[in-house]
Amino acid sequence: QKEVEQDPGPLSVPEGAIVSLNCTYSNSAFQYFMWYRQYSRKGPELLMYTYSSGNKEDGRFTAQVDKSSKYISLFIRDSQPSDSATYLCAMSFHVNTPLVFGKGTRLSVIA
Amino acid sequence: GAGVSQSPSNKVTEKGKDVELRCDPISGHTALYWYRQSLGQGLEFLIYFQGNSAPDKSGLPSDRFSAERTGGSVSTLTIQRTQQEDSAVYLCASSLARGSGGRASTDTQYFGPGTRLTVL
């Protein structure tokens, strides 16, 4: 079993839909949780950064971490065609240490 | 300001040849990471440099892979005797990595655009 599991999709939704992306993980020692967005032929860019359990909101994006269930989620409200990309969850044990990534979910938002 | 840059953007080589991939981190960033992104495998950690400390090489897949970071800035990833399974996108990231941590402002890893390596 991989340390971080993420459904690769692809996921296709109409413009304006609410998108739910999630990852599960097996190691309870992970403390820092991130979501990256990666456009085709580009490097990943950070969307959300969360320490430990809880919710964090930034504009149309909400990140949730449930450490008891080893489950993290990213919600995108009012999805736009420009949100079409691959979304990668990532986590680490300590600050400033290598990240462990999920395989990424490919999202298409159709106008 | 300038982000992380990598060169070349694409590299095609023949099996058995050596290749060098370059990463220029964001100025002032003390931490530098190399990752590999291959189809079906996702992003995998290779090696990590933090300041003047010995690098964390725990992710390197074989002794054909090595990396160095000169003067705490530019890094070069070298793959010797390339194999077809080395074909992937090689990504470099850097972070400020200062202070007590636990904040996106200091911990965020900023990625370069990657080098797409194809081994024929």
Side-chain angles (χ1 to χ4, degrees):
Chain A
Q1 181 193 10
K2 227 175 138 48
E3 274 194 297
V4 180
E5 298 282 355
Q6 184 176 9
D7 187 335
L11 181 62
S12 185
V13 301
E15 182 177 358
I18 296 174
V19 177
S20 172
L21 305 167
N22 53 72
C23 289
T24 58
Y25 60 96
S26 56
N27 195 326
S28 58
F30 284 124
Q31 296 189 78
Y32 299 89
F33 303 91
M34 288 134 275
W35 285 94
Y36 279 81
R37 178 175 62 195
Q38 186 176 25
Y39 291 113
S40 182
R41 304 260 172 176
K42 302 286 187 184
E45 57 177 333
L46 181 71
L47 274 180
M48 302 291 282
Y49 174 98
T50 311
Y51 168 66
S52 195
S53 283
N55 294 355
K56 187 171 184 179
E57 189 173 319
D58 184 0
R60 297 184 296 111
F61 298 91
T62 299
Q64 289 184 350
V65 175
D66 182 347
K67 291 191 73 179
S68 62
S69 301
K70 301 192 189 72
Y71 186 89
I72 68 171
S73 301
L74 177 71
F75 297 95
I76 307 174
R77 290 182 298 281
D78 187 25
S79 56
Q80 303 296 308
S82 58
D83 295 329
S84 298
T86 296
Y87 290 80
L88 302 152
C89 64
M91 47 199 78
S92 65
F93 300 109
H94 304 290
V95 295
N96 302 315
T97 54
L99 300 177
V100 180
F101 283 86
K103 289 187 178 182
T105 299
R106 189 171 175 185
L107 171 68
S108 293
V109 181
I110 311 300
Chain B
V4 177
S5 60
Q6 293 185 245
S7 60
S9 54
N10 282 284
K11 176 72 177 178
V12 180
T13 190
E14 293 178 349
K15 178 181 171 180
K17 301 280 191 185
D18 297 353
V19 294
E20 283 190 353
L21 313 179
R22 177 187 167 105
C23 171
D24 280 89
I26 293 172
S27 177
H29 280 196
T30 61
L32 187 147
Y33 306 78
W34 283 97
Y35 294 88
R36 177 170 70 175
Q37 188 172 31
S38 49
L39 239 83
Q41 294 300 316
L43 261 152
E44 299 174 304
F45 162 70
L46 295 175
I47 187 169
Y48 162 49
F49 297 89
Q50 170 57 58
N52 295 320
S53 303
D56 175 356
K57 304 179 183 180
S58 60
L60 294 179
S62 79
D63 58 8
R64 296 186 296 104
F65 288 72
S66 63
E68 61 178 23
R69 188 178 184 191
T70 51
S73 180
V74 171
S75 177
T76 302
L77 176 70
T78 301
I79 309 173
Q80 295 178 310
R81 304 181 302 281
T82 51
Q83 303 295 311
Q84 288 183 329
E85 61 262 29
D86 298 335
S87 296
V89 176
Y90 289 82
L91 289 156
C92 173
S94 70
S95 72
L96 196 55
R98 288 197 182 131
S100 56
R103 297 189 299 277
S105 59
T106 55
D107 304 342
T108 296
Q109 294 183 27
Y110 295 89
F111 283 82
T115 294
R116 184 172 297 270
L117 175 66
T118 303
V119 182
L120 301 177

